[in-house]
Amino acid sequence: MFAVWRHRPIIMSSIIVLSLVSPDTRYAAWSRGSVRAAPKTASSKCDRSKFKLILDVGHTAEAPGARSARNIPEFDFNLRLAKRIEDKLKLEGFAQTRLLMTEGPKRPSLFKRAAAINNSGADLALSIHHDSVPDSFLEEWEFEGTKSHFSDRFSGYSLFVSHDNPKFWTSLRFARLLGNRMKAQGLQYARQYAQAVMGRYRRKLLDKKVGVYRYDQLIVLARTRVPAVLFEAGSIINRDEELAMQTPERQDMIVTSVVGAVEEFCASR
Ligand SMILES: [Zn+2]
């Protein structure tokens, strides 16, 4: 949520949108993949081979988002986790899962990704991020001889949906499914977004059981016309959680949660 040290909320402004939509956004066109479709189970109405999911990799190589407590760019975390989710979904028969990677500076890239999602005809867009904190919460420490920043005050995943997305209720439904799965894995959501201490970053908590917040202005949610959810998978500015997020065990818990939620969402449409 906090893109850089000098973070600003990723919100819409009066920027002209169309001029920023350029063809260098890299996303694969839907195609018949070589991955076999898993057979439908008796209890599922989901046709996995037809479900179109876009996994949006948050930020870009050039504007990599937050910096972890150990100085790893958020983009690296986002890309690794998104790839793991993509691999598992394809293995499970969701052959039309696509990674969306965008290039360039932050603000134009946000409009590019929204345009790419809209052009894709996707059934669902899930934007993958890792969380940090506002600058005022940062504390200093030294990691491997480098002055670094951390905050161990908050941890957890969180989910965001925008009321400006025309598929708000469907987006909320998927966010809840994913939050339920995360909770079932024993993972806690980040409570601070509902607290006054967050100031202008405070959000309305829509589901207090599983951690879904309303964040209307996020471009990747507000400018998309398909159901869209932004997922902060965990905090990388929290020193313990950063280490946890790098373990295959934690990544598997998250991947399992996403795959389960996608299956449930697909079956319930
Ligand atoms: Zn981010």
Side-chain angles (χ1 to χ4, degrees):
M1 194 57 58
F2 306 96
V4 282
W5 297 123
R6 295 272 160 262
H7 60 85
R8 292 185 183 86
I10 302 164
I11 60 171
M12 288 185 288
S13 70
S14 55
I15 277 179
I16 311 263
V17 179
L18 289 176
S19 65
L20 294 167
V21 178
S22 84
D24 68 344
T25 298
R26 285 181 291 141
Y27 74 98
W30 305 116
S31 61
R32 293 280 167 206
S34 57
V35 181
R36 73 183 161 75
K40 284 194 282 185
T41 60
S43 61
S44 172
K45 296 188 197 80
C46 173
D47 187 344
R48 298 181 179 202
S49 66
K50 292 210 173 86
F51 188 80
K52 295 177 179 175
L53 172 65
I54 281 199
L55 291 168
D56 170 46
V57 180
H59 307 281
T60 68
E62 297 87 345
R67 184 175 290 270
S68 79
R70 294 171 180 80
N71 302 307
I72 300 169
E74 182 196 340
F75 180 74
D76 294 10
F77 284 88
N78 297 343
L79 181 56
R80 179 176 52 198
L81 182 60
K83 278 183 169 165
R84 282 188 74 124
I85 294 169
E86 180 197 23
D87 288 347
K88 181 67 171 167
L89 279 164
K90 286 186 167 171
L91 202 65
E92 295 289 328
F94 288 94
Q96 301 207 51
T97 303
R98 296 290 179 266
L99 272 196
L100 172 61
M101 286 178 61
T102 320
E103 296 174 336
K106 183 173 83 175
R107 292 196 65 82
S109 85
L110 292 170
F111 291 97
K112 283 182 203 170
R113 68 187 75 220
I117 290 166
N118 288 334
N119 291 335
S120 71
D123 297 303
L124 177 67
L126 179 62
S127 191
I128 306 291
H129 288 253
H130 288 71
D131 213 356
S132 183
V133 293
D135 287 0
S136 57
F137 293 110
L138 292 174
E139 298 170 60
E140 282 187 11
W141 72 314
E142 194 175 291
F143 176 69
E144 293 183 344
T146 304
K147 190 178 119 180
S148 307
H149 293 83
F150 75 98
S151 172
D152 295 337
R153 188 166 169 182
F154 307 120
S155 63
Y157 74 90
S158 45
L159 293 151
F160 296 88
V161 292
S162 168
H163 209 274
D164 290 353
N165 180 301
K167 299 285 172 60
F168 167 75
W169 292 104
T170 315
S171 305
L172 177 59
R173 186 156 57 82
F174 177 75
R176 281 183 159 143
L177 292 174
L178 179 50
N180 269 319
R181 298 276 174 162
M182 293 288 282
K183 188 182 177 196
Q185 295 276 351
L187 298 169
Q188 303 276 332
Y189 75 84
R191 314 268 160 168
Q192 72 270 19
Y193 285 108
Q195 296 169 4
V197 69
M198 292 301 278
R200 66 194 173 105
Y201 300 105
R202 190 179 185 183
R203 306 287 163 221
K204 184 172 171 52
L205 186 56
L206 298 177
D207 190 322
K208 64 175 194 271
K209 287 200 186 109
V210 300
V212 182
Y213 291 93
R214 176 174 166 177
Y215 192 169
D216 290 347
Q217 298 91 343
L218 282 169
I219 292 168
V220 74
L221 305 181
R223 293 284 176 139
T224 45
R225 295 188 295 271
V226 306
V229 172
L230 188 140
F231 179 37
E232 298 278 3
S235 171
I236 53 171
I237 201 70
N238 178 304
R239 291 176 293 185
D240 287 344
E241 190 154 81
E242 179 192 11
L243 293 179
M245 296 304 289
Q246 290 172 313
T247 64
E249 291 76 19
R250 175 64 67 89
Q251 290 165 16
D252 283 348
M253 291 166 89
I254 296 167
V255 168
T256 300
S257 298
V258 173
V259 173
V262 168
E263 213 290 331
E264 210 175 338
F265 180 81
C266 170
S268 67
R269 291 188 308 150

